[in-house]
């Protein structure tokens, strides 16, 4: 069986705290994950760097994005072109499908964040084309502050024709892999087949919760606001803090190439 975490945020999200190389270093050394997806909010700016570096760290990376649809957050996977935020769920699904991608409903009906309702999900599954794209639901999201929001996701997804997935929704390194998805095989192609045939299994290894937000996330986020992120220069070197002057503008898609900036 392979293990995947299909929902990870980097500093290319406005609320992420870890650089792409740090995510790869941490994942390869501290988790059993075979596959990860980088799913920053409404941007794919970190994806190319992640895919370029992944082989050095012995990992496989799926290009993805957490898209803010008009009805709530949706994970687009196997996609390389950005889709604007604010479109309807159906329109967003069709655009993901046009580029050969698949989608997973992120943290459905979770409190405190923009989430799809199960009514929205069911109506998409009734749509003749959208249903071929919306192949999965997060039955476990490790990044919720209100951890009880996972309960309706488990109950309501049990009766739907979808793959049930677990993901971390990590915004800090230590959360990566806390939610994960088992699938037959070990590679990205195996995972794609498993998602389409609903042969995935949910794994939960921990929650963020309110206390972790205070002790884990808030300090990292404050450092980010000051321009510091966790960095890794090479798989053989340790994680360290690096100052990046353009951090505050990264998520606005106009900061230039962070990767080049740090390696030049
Ligand atoms: Zn979300
Ligand atoms: Zn997220």
């Amino acid at each position: 069986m392979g293990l995947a975490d299909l929902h990870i945020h980097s500093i290319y999200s406005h609320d992420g705290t870890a650089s792409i190389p740090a995510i790869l270093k941490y994942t390869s050394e501290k988790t059993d994950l075979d596959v990860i997806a980088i799913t920053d909010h409404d941007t794919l700016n970190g994806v190319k760097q992640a895919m370029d570096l992944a082989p050095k760290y012995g990992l496989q990376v799926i290009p993805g994005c957490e898209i803010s649809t008009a009805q709530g957050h949706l994970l687009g996977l196997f996609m390389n072109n950005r889709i604007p935020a604010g479109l309807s769920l159906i329109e967003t699904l069709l655009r993901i499908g046009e580029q050969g991608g698949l989608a997973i409903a992120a943290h459905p009906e979770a409190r405190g964040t923009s989430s799809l309702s199960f009514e929205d999900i069911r109506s998409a599954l009734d749509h003749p084309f959208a249903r071929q794209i919306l192949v999965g639901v997060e039955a476990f999201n490790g990044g919720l502050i209100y951890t009880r929001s996972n309960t309706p996701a488990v109950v309501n997804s049990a009766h739907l024709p979808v793959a049930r997935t677990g993901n971390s929704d990590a915004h800090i390194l230590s959360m990566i892999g806390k939610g994960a998805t088992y699938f037959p095989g070990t590679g990205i192609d195996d995972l794609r087949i498993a998602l389409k045939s609903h042969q995935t299994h949910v794994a939960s290894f921990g929650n963020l919760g309110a206390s972790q937000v205070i002790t884990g996330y808030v300090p990292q986020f404050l450092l980010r606001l000051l321009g510091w992120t966790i960095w890794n220069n090479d798989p053989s070197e340790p994680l360290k803090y690096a100052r990046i002057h353009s951090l505050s503008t990264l998520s606005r898609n106009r900061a230039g190439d962070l990767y080049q900036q740090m390696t030049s």
Side-chain angles (χ1 to χ4, degrees):
M1 296 286 268
L3 191 63
D5 183 351
L6 301 173
H7 190 165
I8 295 174
H9 293 274
S10 76
I11 44 173
Y12 289 90
S13 288
H14 61 279
D15 53 0
T17 64
S19 67
I20 294 288
I23 288 170
L24 298 173
K25 169 87 173 172
Y26 181 91
T27 302
S28 67
E29 292 195 347
K30 304 287 188 185
T31 77
D32 294 325
L33 295 164
D34 302 293
V35 176
I36 61 171
I38 299 297
T39 53
D40 285 311
H41 293 290
D42 301 305
T43 177
L44 287 116
N45 280 6
V47 163
K48 184 178 183 303
Q49 181 190 1
M51 296 185 73
D52 285 350
L53 293 179
K56 283 178 75 175
Y57 292 82
L59 290 169
Q60 302 172 76
V61 173
I62 295 174
C65 185
E66 183 168 17
I67 304 164
S68 304
T69 77
Q71 288 132 287
H73 288 176
L74 179 74
L75 298 178
L77 302 176
F78 308 100
M79 55 177 278
N80 291 294
N81 300 310
R82 185 174 169 271
I83 294 170
L87 300 175
S88 72
L89 173 60
I90 298 291
E91 174 70 19
T92 307
L93 286 167
L94 296 180
R95 291 200 186 198
I96 293 171
E98 281 170 8
Q99 40 181 305
L102 299 174
I104 293 173
H107 47 73
E109 295 196 354
R111 288 172 59 200
T113 184
S114 178
S115 306
L116 297 169
S117 69
F118 274 96
E119 194 180 333
D120 295 327
I121 293 168
R122 283 192 199 94
S123 59
L125 293 173
D126 284 337
H127 189 283
F129 301 114
R131 68 192 304 173
Q132 298 171 38
I133 313 305
L134 183 59
V135 293
V137 165
E138 275 185 349
F140 177 79
N141 178 299
L144 298 176
I145 297 174
Y146 301 104
T147 54
R148 278 178 289 183
S149 291
N150 278 307
T151 304
V154 171
V155 171
N156 289 305
S157 66
H159 306 291
L160 293 176
V162 290
R164 275 161 286 284
T165 66
N167 295 314
S168 70
D169 203 353
H171 289 71
I172 52 176
L173 286 182
S174 59
M175 283 305 297
I176 293 172
K178 296 299 187 208
T181 301
Y182 284 109
F183 62 96
T186 54
I188 285 177
D189 293 340
D190 301 321
L191 176 58
R192 187 181 173 99
I193 292 167
L195 287 169
K196 291 179 81 169
S197 57
H198 313 160
Q199 291 183 315
T200 54
H201 299 280
V202 175
S204 56
F205 302 112
N207 278 304
L208 182 66
S211 62
Q212 268 266 18
V213 170
I214 295 165
T215 60
Y217 179 67
V218 170
Q220 297 288 329
F221 185 66
L222 291 175
L223 282 170
R224 182 209 156 111
L225 291 180
L226 295 171
W228 292 87
T229 185
I230 302 174
W231 188 263
N232 176 249
N233 278 327
D234 185 87
S236 64
E237 293 184 16
L239 294 166
K240 63 176 186 177
Y241 277 96
R243 186 158 169 75
I244 299 168
H245 296 287
S246 57
L247 251 184
S248 62
T249 54
L250 269 179
S251 56
R252 286 181 232 149
N253 306 336
R254 59 181 181 81
D257 192 335
L258 174 69
Y259 181 35
Q260 268 185 7
Q261 179 187 343
M262 292 303 296
T263 52
S264 60

